[in-house]
Structures are given as structure tokens and as C-alpha cells.
Amino acid sequence: MAAVIAALAAGCAVVAVFLSGDAVRPDRPDLEVALVAAASVLAALLAFGKARGTRIASAIFAAGSAGWAIHCLSTDIGSGTPGSSTGVLAVAAVVTLVATGLTARSAARPLRWWLAVPLVVALAAGTVAAAVIVPAQAVRSMTAATVAAPAIADRVTDRPWKWTPPTEVRDAVAAGAGVVVGGVDGDVTALDGPTGAVRWTYARPGARLRALVPTPDRLLLLAVYGGSGRDHLTVLDAFTGAPVQETLIEEVSGADLLAPTSTVLPSITYLGDDNFRVNALDLRTGKELWTWTAPQGCVSPFALPASGRDVVLAPLLCPDRLSVLGLDERTGTSRWEHKLPVTRPSDEKADYYLHSALDGGTVSLSLRYAGLASGAGTDVVLDPANGAVVSTMDPKAPKRITLGPVAIAERTTDGKVTAATLDGGVAVDLAACPARRAQATTPTAYLRLCVLPGGALVVHRQELDGSPASTLPVDWPPSTDSAGTLNSGFARHALLPAPGALVAVRGGATPVIGYPAG
């Protein structure tokens, strides 16, 4: 009877090989899990032997597999992204060890049912519990009630709130009812814009937070945790912090490679010959909605992803044209095409520089290809809803549309900004902020986080209507060279016009400061 129970437990270990290992073990079967399962199977087979030495060998193999399985489980939980495989494996290996330990006794006298039944029950209940509990064990969370979102802060007070993060800051974005801050230990905290109070938390202790990205409507938040070759994506409700869905995605190096629409996350798959397929993942269900490939005779070269509110941008190169398509987020069908005529094929690579505004209301395109008929239409800002040209850009001073509702065109020389103009023709006062750390725009102002000659930091506000400029002091301790960088943009500082407050953030162990809307 004990040998039979060992065989049942070894069977559960084999099942564990094919269960999810999440981001820490993205491959199925995982080699380490498979080896532990094989050791459990060998231990179970030896348990049927008659010789005493065979049964001792069975117990030794079972003990080794149990210790190895527990080590795998501990490692996976410590990673912050465990799957169900190692939890089930650990339960199966421990039951195998107990069963093989009883085989010597059962050789002289059959194992009584009152000992066999608890083992079978423990195996069944433990397997089910491990499959459910282990993935959830990695998460620490507190949710909140949904509220109406305050308006994005424009004019603010000079009486800021301050919040000290539990770990060093790695990311911060405007979403939900305020700002959401990500830390180095996998923690994500949502702060109320007007007050700075903690609204909700979500954490995977031990996991590396690779990216924190809101959807253009700021209703959902994408939290990406690093794994081994693949990453764990958790989609959170930005107002309540409740997980909407979770899935594995291809490894990303940062927020700059994620460009969700309001409801889908686009990604690309390499097909060979400089051609990529576009895929769309439904953010609420985790299902793949559609895929798109270039038509026959054309290719879709790689481009950094960018999206509008409800369209996915896809590059296209054909013998007669160079294009960017606006694909409907729900169907993948082309809603519009911005195309430039090609007069001759070229071996030169086509370059696409695509950027979208924070709210997805505009997108900018800069296209480069040697075979173009002319330079017209290569640098434009489009309305992603219909592809209409909103404005053109100077190739030597492309517009920065990612800073807020007002675009900035900057001219640089040797990496230094020599002139800058805001939409509407307002010249930026460069002398007012000689050392800029971060920047943003609101409908009425251009904001910069500036370092004064003495080392103090201030938020400088230049009014778009020509009114006198103003500053707000930023009460931070002196910066050190060890201050961490932020995932978004790989800079040390961020200035975020968020719902209810203007928020200043610095990477590392620095308080987050918010200036409530006036």
C-alpha cells in the first residue's frame, strides 16, 4: 500500500512538470522541475522492490527529491513571481518521502488504512492547495473603493504634501485618482492626488518591477515584473488596485517598449527578413484579440511601439510606398494610412520614430528612407482617431508631444538645447532654468524641475499667455550619485501633472512631493 501511495505521489510530481512556472520558470517543461519529478518516480519504482537495499535507495532518492523540491519552491516564492508547478512538486515529493519511509514497515505487515487514507487525503488536498495558494502567496495587496477622478492638476498651491516610500522609488505615473509609485522591492502604491494619502497597495516582494504604465485613459495600470526570459504582467484597476488579469509576456527592458491603447497591449513577433507581425492582447481578459501581418509583397519593419487611444500603429514598407497604419484596437483592421510614395527600392533600412501623447490624443511620426520620392510628410503630428495631419515638424527640431497637452520643439547643438518653442509660438525662457532635471506641460504652462546655482531644486512655471513666471520650492535632501534611476525614461527625476496634484519624484530613497491643485 505504501508503494502504491508513493506511485500516486510521483504521478502528481509528473503533473507538476506541465503546470505553470510563471515568470521565474517560463518554460514547460522546466528542466529542474523535470529532474525532481524524475527522482520522485525513481523513488516510487524502487519502493516496489523486495530487497532491503532497494527500499533504502528508494528512501534516499525520495529524500533528495523532497529537499530539492522544497528548495525550488522557496526560490520561486522569493522571486515574487511563482507559478503552481513547484508548489505541487513539493507536496508530491514530501508525500513520496513519507510513503517510501513506510515501505520497510509495510514489507513485514501491510500498511493499515488509517495510515494510508490520511496520506492520500494529504496528497490530494495539498496538491490542490499548492496550485492555488503558492501563486497568491507572492502577493501583498490592499484595495480601495472606487472614486471619481480629480481633474489633472494645472494651477497648484504652494503647500505640498510629502510621502515617504517604504522602499527606493523606481517608477511613478499619473493614473486613477492621483499618482502611482513603484519601488525596488516590487511594491506599487497609489497616492490620492489632493491629499497624498495611500489609497491602495500591490506588491510582489523580491520581484523586480520592470515597468509601470497606465493606459491612455488612466483607468488601468500595467505592472510588469521581471522573470527569466519572460515577464509577468499584472493589469490593475488604477482606482481600486484590484488585479484585473495576469499573464506572461515577452521580456521587456522598460516602460519605453510598452504602448497600450485603452483596452489592448500591442506586441510584435519577428517573422524573418525584417518583417514583424503585430499582436494585440486584451488587457481585461488576457486573450489575444487579433494579429496583423503586412500584405503580400510588403514587410512591417520593427518600430518602437506607440499607440493612440484606440488605435495601434503599424509600420509598412512596400515597393511603392512607406506607410504607418492605424489599426483598430478591437479588430486589427486598418482605419487609416499615412503613406509616402517610394520611387525606387533601397537596401537602406527604413527608420520609424513613433511617439504618442500621454492621453493618446496625438501621435508623431518621423520616417526615414532613401527611396522616398520627396521629403514631404516625413515629420508630422497626426490625430490617431482618423489619421488627419494636425501639424508638421521641423526634422531638426521634432516636437516633444510626450510631455503633456502642449508640444515642445527643441533645437540642440552637441547635445545641448539652444532654442525651444512651445505650441502657439511661445519661446521657452532657457535662462530661467539652466539645469533642467524634468519637464512637463499643462494646458496653460510649461513646467520644469530646475537646479539652482546653490544646488536647491524648484519647479519653474512659465505661463503660455506671457504672464510672469513663478517657482515652487522642492524640499528634497541633497542628491547623491547613488540615487537610483526611474524605469520610465531612465532618468532620475520626473514631474507629473496628475489627477489632483502636480507630483515631483526622484529615484532612490527620496520622498514623493505633491502640490495639490489650487
Side-chain angles (χ1 to χ4, degrees):
M1 178 65 75
V4 173
I5 295 174
L8 289 174
C12 290
V14 173
V15 171
V17 175
F18 301 96
L19 296 178
S20 170
D22 209 274
V24 67
R25 299 180 189 274
D27 299 323
R28 285 185 293 177
D30 176 78
L31 178 60
E32 193 172 20
V33 174
L35 288 174
V36 176
S40 295
V41 170
L42 181 58
L45 292 175
L46 292 174
F48 284 95
K50 301 296 184 181
R52 178 178 176 82
T54 302
R55 293 176 179 243
I56 291 176
S58 170
I60 291 174
F61 275 104
S65 64
W68 198 354
I70 292 172
H71 169 72
C72 291
L73 176 60
S74 174
T75 299
D76 286 13
I77 291 178
S79 75
T81 57
S84 56
S85 61
T86 50
V88 172
L89 182 70
V91 171
V94 169
V95 173
T96 302
L97 175 61
V98 174
T100 55
L102 293 172
T103 53
R105 181 179 184 278
S106 62
R109 184 173 55 184
L111 185 65
R112 296 184 181 277
W113 67 267
W114 51 269
L115 283 175
V117 170
L119 276 179
V120 174
V121 172
L123 176 63
T127 298
V128 173
V132 175
I133 293 174
V134 170
Q137 183 66 27
V139 177
R140 304 286 185 272
S141 67
M142 177 188 73
T143 58
T146 189
V147 295
I152 297 294
D154 188 350
R155 300 187 183 280
V156 298
T157 71
D158 58 0
R159 297 179 298 278
W161 51 256
K162 183 183 294 186
W163 177 74
T164 301
T167 62
E168 293 187 8
V169 174
R170 282 302 302 272
D171 217 339
V173 295
V179 65
V180 182
V181 182
V184 296
D185 196 31
D187 52 290
V188 178
T189 305
L191 306 178
D192 182 69
T195 66
V198 173
R199 286 190 42 77
W200 57 260
T201 61
Y202 180 91
R204 287 179 169 270
R208 178 187 175 189
L209 183 65
R210 288 188 184 271
L212 199 60
V213 180
T215 53
D217 55 14
R218 297 187 298 277
L219 298 181
L220 298 177
L221 190 68
L222 283 62
V224 180
Y225 291 94
S228 303
R230 301 191 75 186
D231 288 343
H232 181 105
L233 167 66
T234 299
V235 180
L236 301 169
D237 184 301
F239 287 90
T240 68
V244 175
Q245 68 93 9
E246 301 178 50
T247 190
L248 289 180
I249 61 173
E250 293 301 319
E251 185 177 12
V252 298
S253 59
D256 294 341
L257 294 179
L258 296 173
T261 68
S262 295
T263 67
V264 305
L265 175 65
S267 63
I268 55 177
T269 302
Y270 185 56
L271 303 177
D273 297 327
D274 198 31
N275 190 23
F276 290 80
R277 180 179 70 235
V278 180
N279 319 293
L281 180 79
D282 189 298
L283 289 175
R284 292 191 176 274
T285 66
K287 304 294 184 182
E288 187 174 80
L289 275 185
W290 50 263
T291 63
W292 174 89
T293 54
Q296 188 69 30
C298 304
V299 296
S300 180
F302 170 78
L304 289 176
S307 302
R309 292 191 187 105
D310 60 356
V311 297
V312 175
L313 303 185
L316 184 66
L317 177 60
C318 300
D320 64 336
R321 69 189 189 278
L322 179 74
S323 304
V324 171
L325 305 181
L327 307 178
D328 185 275
E329 65 172 349
R330 304 305 300 176
T331 64
T333 57
S334 177
R335 285 179 20 187
W336 51 263
E337 180 178 5
H338 179 78
K339 56 184 177 181
L340 307 176
V342 170
T343 55
R344 58 181 178 82
S346 174
D347 292 334
E348 182 180 319
K349 182 180 69 172
D351 290 322
Y352 297 77
Y353 303 96
L354 314 179
H355 300 280
S356 58
L358 298 176
D359 63 354
T362 53
V363 296
S364 67
L365 317 177
S366 292
L367 311 179
R368 301 289 182 267
Y369 186 58
L372 290 177
S374 71
T378 58
D379 297 86
V380 294
V381 177
L382 304 180
D383 181 343
N386 52 26
V389 176
V390 176
S391 64
T392 59
M393 297 187 293
D394 181 349
K396 296 182 179 180
K399 291 183 178 179
R400 298 281 300 275
I401 69 168
T402 58
L403 302 176
V406 179
I408 300 176
E410 294 183 338
R411 287 188 174 274
T412 60
T413 302
D414 297 329
K416 183 179 180 180
V417 178
T418 56
T421 306
L422 303 168
D423 268 355
V426 178
V428 173
D429 183 2
L430 296 179
C433 185
R436 184 183 68 195
R437 293 294 180 265
Q439 57 182 332
T441 66
T442 71
T444 65
Y446 173 44
L447 308 172
R448 284 171 289 179
L449 185 61
C450 308
V451 181
L452 299 181
L457 282 92
V458 298
V459 175
H460 183 274
R461 178 186 175 97
Q462 179 177 342
E463 302 291 345
L464 301 184
D465 62 3
S467 302
S470 59
T471 60
L472 293 168
V474 181
D475 184 18
W476 275 337
S479 180
T480 64
D481 291 337
S482 61
T485 59
L486 301 175
N487 289 341
S488 301
F490 301 99
R492 286 190 176 185
H493 303 81
L495 198 57
L496 306 172
L502 172 65
V503 181
V505 181
R506 184 169 74 189
T510 306
V512 175
I513 296 178
Y515 301 87

